[in-house]
Amino acid sequence: MQKYAVIVAGGTGMRMGAAIPKQFLMLHDKPVLYYTLKTFLDAFDDLRIVLVLPEDYTDLGREVIDAFFDYSRIQITSGGETRFHSVQAGLRHVGKDAIVFVHDAVRCLVTVDLIHRCFENALETGSAVPAVRVRDSVRLLNAEENTNEVMDRDRVVLVQTPQTFHSRILLPAFEIDYKERFTDEATVVEAFGLKVSLVPGDEHNIKITRPADLLFAEGMIRQGFLDKSLVKER
């Protein structure tokens, strides 16, 4: 079975307040993107990466690969107007009989264990969407009526990536027309008429969006979090 990881790095980092997209910010002396790429390459020896970047930053992406990796298992392509279109661009480079991981480049604390867990579940059911339960109380806002109501937090989960699918599911799903409600791959697959399977995520698998997230990731990497997870898996 072929394996592909479509790593989506289309953000510009406005909430981070940085001059460059957050995937290129330095984290423990290396770019954020480095850790994401390395973990996926470590997860499977035969996995290939399609790195989707903003068109203006493809050269910067090549600099990261030149510095730390090689192009034998990584290729770069330009993203689109939305996440949907960026993933769609990446999927053009994916084989027709494969397990496909779609992952946010700035979720740099993803572990080999989570990647393997998603792979095994996608092999069995066709899909694997990692999710974690919420700990805080949750309310549903109704702006029109200026009201809010308590929700049962045991029925609420936070969705992460890598969202993982068999290519026979994901490729045709991304041929449908774009809708604004397509916030991730799971919503696209569901709009295509298929159900998705949830798997346990990882609370450390955060998305770097604000300076505090970068500090958290820095602390985890300094403590050897990614190294420990790789050793545990092996």
Side-chain angles (χ1 to χ4, degrees):
M1 179 68 68
Q2 297 181 83
K3 307 174 187 70
Y4 287 86
V6 177
I7 307 296
V8 184
T12 58
M14 292 182 63
R15 280 177 290 182
M16 185 65 72
I20 58 174
K22 49 189 177 290
Q23 58 266 23
F24 298 114
L25 295 176
M26 298 304 289
L27 177 62
H28 200 49
D29 300 325
K30 293 182 177 67
V32 167
L33 180 60
Y34 161 84
Y35 298 97
T36 305
L37 295 176
K38 185 178 185 303
T39 302
F40 273 92
L41 292 173
D42 286 342
F44 296 103
D45 292 338
D46 58 346
L47 178 143
R48 297 186 61 83
I49 290 177
V50 181
L51 177 59
V52 186
L53 295 171
E55 186 173 1
D56 292 342
Y57 291 94
T58 54
D59 286 345
L60 196 52
R62 291 188 182 94
E63 289 181 15
V64 174
I65 297 173
D66 289 340
F68 301 105
F69 307 103
D70 59 56
Y71 289 92
S72 62
R73 295 168 60 195
I74 306 174
Q75 65 184 110
I76 295 177
T77 191
S78 297
E81 181 181 353
T82 67
R83 179 192 178 89
F84 174 89
H85 295 103
S86 291
V87 173
Q88 195 175 57
L91 291 177
R92 295 191 184 107
H93 303 277
V94 166
K96 294 183 179 180
D97 188 21
I99 295 297
V100 185
F101 305 89
V102 182
H103 188 67
D104 301 318
V106 292
R107 289 188 186 271
C108 57
L109 296 180
V110 63
T111 63
V112 169
D113 180 65
L114 179 57
I115 294 170
H116 283 188
R117 192 156 65 242
C118 289
F119 176 77
E120 295 298 332
N121 201 85
L123 272 181
E124 182 178 347
T125 69
S127 66
V129 176
V132 294
R133 295 189 178 276
V134 297
R135 295 181 176 182
D136 300 326
S137 296
V138 180
R139 285 181 174 265
L140 181 65
L141 301 179
N142 186 328
E144 293 182 359
E145 299 180 7
N146 194 28
T147 61
N148 61 82
E149 60 180 291
V150 176
M151 297 183 65
D152 181 358
R153 65 183 175 190
D154 290 335
R155 299 181 60 192
V156 178
V157 295
L158 304 177
V159 174
Q160 302 177 330
T161 66
Q163 298 192 10
T164 310
F165 302 88
H166 197 290
S167 58
R168 291 196 301 264
I169 293 173
L170 198 60
L171 294 181
F174 268 81
E175 292 177 0
I176 65 179
D177 293 334
Y178 168 71
K179 302 292 190 300
E180 287 189 3
R181 69 176 183 273
F182 292 165
T183 57
D184 62 3
E185 294 67 55
T187 54
V188 178
V189 169
E190 288 172 330
F192 188 60
L194 299 174
K195 293 184 178 180
V196 299
S197 175
L198 299 182
V199 299
D202 186 334
E203 291 185 350
H204 298 101
N205 184 28
I206 64 168
K207 187 174 182 179
I208 304 289
T209 56
R210 293 179 171 84
D213 301 325
L214 204 61
L215 291 174
F216 174 80
E218 176 81 23
M220 295 299 294
I221 290 171
R222 284 184 180 277
Q223 293 174 33
F225 172 73
L226 293 178
D227 296 332
K228 292 173 184 176
S229 67
L230 184 57
V231 170
K232 178 182 177 181
E233 178 61 29
R234 288 180 175 172

